[in-house]
Amino acid sequence: MKKAFAFLLIIVCYKTIAQDKSGQISKRFDSYIQNALQLWKTPGLSVTVVKDGQVVFKQGYGVTELGKNDPFTTSTVSICASTTKAMTAVCMGMLVDEGKINWTDKVSNVYPPFKLYDNYANSEITIEDLFTHNTGLGNADNLWAFDYPVDSIIHQMRLIKPAYSFRSSFIYQNLMYLVAGEVIHKVSGKPWAEFIQQRLFSPLGMQHTYPGFKQSAAEPSHITPHYMYEDSVIKPIPMIDYRSVGAAGGVWSCADDISKWMLFLLDSARVDGRPLLKPETYREIFKPHSIVTESEFYPTARLTKPHFTTYGLGWFQEDYKGKALDFHTGSLDGAVAIIGLVPDDDFGIYVFANMDHTEIRHALMYKAIDLWLLNDDKDDWSKNLYKLYVNLDSAAKKEEQKMEAKRVLNTKASLALKGYTGKYSNEIYGSAEVLLQGDSLLLKLPNNIKLDLGHWNYDTFMGKFEHDWWGKTLVRFDLDADGTVKQFDISGIVYAKDE
């Protein structure tokens, strides 16, 4: 009896010590976050950390919108963006477990509307390839930014020339995940949005997680996106509802719910002990499938210096201080997210933030791993990464200055402004129109995306987006031998003048 009591006392003492240690780490992390927020000037964010099957840290900071007093809490709904990809992979895994599809099935057999420019790739791409960014397809995200329906996007993919040969390289893009969403619809009989809500969010008890912005809009606490302009002034920007991004980046959630998602993943895809995926399917999702090329590395790798960087099914993978890390970021206009898992240590962290590309997210992920897993407090990732991104921003500004230096001053356009007006089209991206607006030109791209065109030199104009956080880009008009406009080029995409 005395031995049993002594053993019980040891267990109680061990738990108390562990709780005290975790509490001390939480206090240090909380203080670190508050300091980091000041440095990065991020209006608001939420952070949740899970360890050994429990939520050990969950906190909101700042406000949902600058100029208002609504706090950013753990129930504030924000964009998961591309961290959605891992959720779509789990949904596909469920269908694999049910025998309705195999990872090795050819997409062309399962979903005939899908075709690519390269016939070999088109005939060989498997269901698994949809998740690995190595099919040869480059980044053609304008198709969903232009808000075309998903079926139209998939139809246009057959016109996009490959950026590299099938499975020979890696370029991150979103379109293949849209195809995956349509495959889920075809095989299950339910649209991706309905499937993920019923088969994933509901079983996990994620009652405040939604497959799109529209479904989430009624939540009482909802973010407003923000952007930091060149003068370091941060302003709210309009919310753009990219309705077609769905299976690639459409989910909205909050810290309270997303902790359940991490606990589920770290428990081998089980809910209350009940598996939603077979062990072999779970392993397949986290198995390295592609080697991430150096050009696709996150800038943070310049400081963390991973020995390997691979991609699973919806997961970047790298080593960090001897730990195997599965992670993914998410970014849409004015808001970001990041998830990081260290499965060997039953550890996960998720960050939501309401400012465009605020890399406080990476800093907090690495710092949390340092504190909870390594007892290492020497690296100030917030300051280190802030310095890195300031330098990158300075380098980008120098490139702009070089472009400005190449500008030939005191030139005139070949034609009167009216000569550039008219309707144009691109086989992949659709119709555009150039209009005369007072004494300047207005370019209208699909989805009513507008650019004011100011003369740059010769027949090149500087286009400034109506969504001013998108910046600016050169638009070059090319003339036929008879002196009339035949086409314009914007960021390498050519629109021909309609007859």
Side-chain angles (χ1 to χ4, degrees):
M1 187 69 175
K2 290 181 179 180
K3 289 182 179 180
F5 177 76
F7 182 69
L8 181 62
L9 185 62
I10 290 171
I11 293 175
V12 171
C13 289
Y14 177 79
K15 287 185 176 180
T16 302
I17 293 170
Q19 289 171 354
D20 287 346
K21 182 180 179 182
S22 181
Q24 292 170 9
I25 293 173
S26 293
K27 288 180 180 178
R28 287 158 65 189
F29 193 47
D30 174 67
S31 178
Y32 189 83
I33 293 170
Q34 295 189 49
N35 290 330
L37 274 169
Q38 301 306 311
L39 179 63
W40 291 89
K41 299 181 180 179
T42 305
L45 58 78
S46 63
V47 186
T48 182
V49 178
V50 298
K51 178 78 173 74
D52 298 327
Q54 295 183 334
V55 178
V56 295
F57 185 92
K58 189 170 61 172
Q59 186 66 48
Y61 299 86
V63 293
T64 59
E65 181 177 346
L66 283 177
K68 297 184 179 180
N69 295 323
D70 298 329
F72 199 126
T73 71
T74 60
S75 63
T76 296
V77 174
S78 188
I79 183 70
C80 293
S82 284
T83 67
T84 298
K85 290 179 169 64
M87 300 174 183
T88 298
V90 167
C91 290
M92 190 69 79
M94 293 176 179
L95 295 174
V96 170
D97 286 349
E98 293 168 7
K100 295 181 178 179
I101 199 167
N102 296 305
W103 294 115
T104 55
D105 285 346
K106 301 295 175 59
V107 178
S108 57
N109 294 332
V110 179
Y111 186 67
F114 171 75
K115 296 185 186 304
L116 288 181
Y117 188 92
D118 178 60
N119 287 331
Y120 175 74
N122 182 53
S123 64
E124 293 298 315
I125 286 176
T126 67
I127 296 301
E128 195 165 77
D129 288 324
L130 297 176
F131 295 89
T132 56
H133 305 293
N134 65 351
T135 61
L137 186 69
N139 191 320
D141 284 349
N142 280 346
L143 282 170
W144 59 261
F146 287 167
D147 207 33
Y148 288 120
V150 172
D151 58 350
S152 296
I153 292 172
I154 293 174
H155 182 270
Q156 294 303 94
M157 287 170 67
R158 70 191 66 196
L159 303 174
I160 302 171
K161 293 181 180 180
Y164 56 91
S165 59
F166 182 49
R167 293 179 184 159
S168 70
S169 190
F170 180 100
I171 292 181
Y172 183 88
Q173 48 76 35
N174 289 284
L175 300 191
M176 288 296 178
Y177 277 79
L178 303 187
V179 179
E182 291 305 290
V183 170
I184 289 170
H185 184 185
K186 174 73 178 297
V187 174
S188 71
K190 297 179 180 179
W192 168 84
E194 184 179 332
F195 187 95
I196 198 170
Q197 191 85 57
Q198 293 179 2
R199 297 291 301 277
L200 188 61
F201 302 154
S202 293
L204 269 60
M206 298 171 71
Q207 298 179 358
H208 302 281
T209 301
Y210 307 91
F213 169 73
K214 184 177 180 180
Q215 297 92 323
S216 75
E219 281 284 334
S221 182
H222 207 285
I223 68 156
T224 294
H226 296 78
Y227 184 83
M228 179 184 286
Y229 290 86
E230 288 186 2
D231 54 4
S232 294
V233 173
I234 301 167
K235 298 179 182 178
I237 62 175
M239 176 65 219
I240 301 178
D241 181 14
Y242 294 110
R243 291 171 293 181
S244 297
V245 75
V251 170
W252 287 72
S253 188
C254 60
D256 290 338
D257 268 13
I258 213 69
S259 58
K260 299 173 184 177
W261 166 240
M262 289 194 293
L263 290 170
F264 163 77
L265 291 170
L266 291 169
D267 194 24
S268 301
R270 290 182 291 193
V271 181
D272 297 326
R274 180 174 64 90
L276 295 191
L277 291 178
K278 292 180 180 178
E280 58 268 28
T281 302
Y282 176 81
R283 289 193 297 269
E284 190 70 18
I285 288 172
F286 285 98
K287 184 175 75 176
H289 290 272
S290 304
I291 295 175
V292 179
T293 55
E294 189 171 351
S295 62
E296 295 284 309
F297 284 4
Y298 283 96
T300 52
R302 302 180 190 186
L303 300 184
T304 59
K305 301 184 184 302
H307 295 85
F308 71 87
T309 302
T310 56
Y311 198 86
L313 304 184
W315 293 97
F316 283 95
Q317 301 158 317
E318 65 181 28
D319 61 297
Y320 173 72
K321 295 185 178 180
K323 301 291 184 181
L325 172 65
D326 298 290
F327 76 101
H328 213 290
T329 59
S331 306
L332 282 173
D333 300 60
V336 299
I338 195 168
I339 183 172
L341 303 179
V342 184
D344 289 344
D345 291 277
D346 199 4
F347 175 88
I349 176 172
Y350 197 105
V351 179
F352 288 110
N354 61 352
M355 191 169 81
D356 199 90
H357 283 86
T358 176
E359 296 308 331
I360 190 175
R361 56 181 171 176
H362 276 100
L364 298 185
M365 179 178 72
Y366 292 126
K367 190 63 175 181
I369 296 171
D370 285 351
L371 291 176
W372 265 279
L373 304 185
L374 300 168
N375 193 29
D376 178 0
D377 203 11
K378 68 177 184 297
D379 290 314
D380 190 340
W381 287 118
S382 178
K383 289 183 179 179
N384 294 343
L385 291 178
Y386 186 80
K387 182 179 179 181
L388 170 67
Y389 279 92
V390 166
N391 290 338
L392 290 174
D393 186 53
S394 297
K397 288 179 180 177
K398 288 180 181 178
E399 290 301 314
E400 288 183 11
Q401 291 169 358
K402 288 180 182 179
M403 182 177 70
E404 180 72 38
K406 293 179 180 179
R407 180 182 183 184
V408 183
L409 301 176
N410 302 316
T411 65
K412 292 184 179 180
S414 301
L415 308 173
L417 291 182
K418 186 174 178 57
Y420 300 93
T421 62
K423 295 184 178 181
Y424 297 75
S425 59
N426 176 275
E427 186 179 26
I428 298 172
Y429 296 105
S431 300
E433 187 174 9
V434 178
L435 305 167
L436 190 61
Q437 184 175 257
D439 57 356
S440 64
L441 295 174
L442 175 71
L443 171 58
K444 292 178 66 176
L445 295 172
N447 196 19
N448 203 32
I449 293 171
K450 300 174 183 177
L451 297 88
D452 290 318
L453 302 184
H455 185 251
W456 179 255
N457 60 206
Y458 300 114
D459 294 312
T460 298
F461 293 74
M462 179 61 75
K464 295 182 180 179
F465 285 96
E466 181 182 40
H467 299 326
D468 55 3
W469 60 95
W470 287 10
K472 53 190 178 181
T473 187
L474 292 175
V475 179
R476 188 192 75 242
F477 289 87
D478 297 323
L479 276 58
D480 271 324
D482 63 0
T484 59
V485 175
K486 68 174 181 178
Q487 63 189 28
F488 70 80
D489 181 306
I490 176 171
S491 302
I493 300 174
V494 176
Y495 287 78
K497 185 79 177 287
D498 291 350
E499 297 295 336

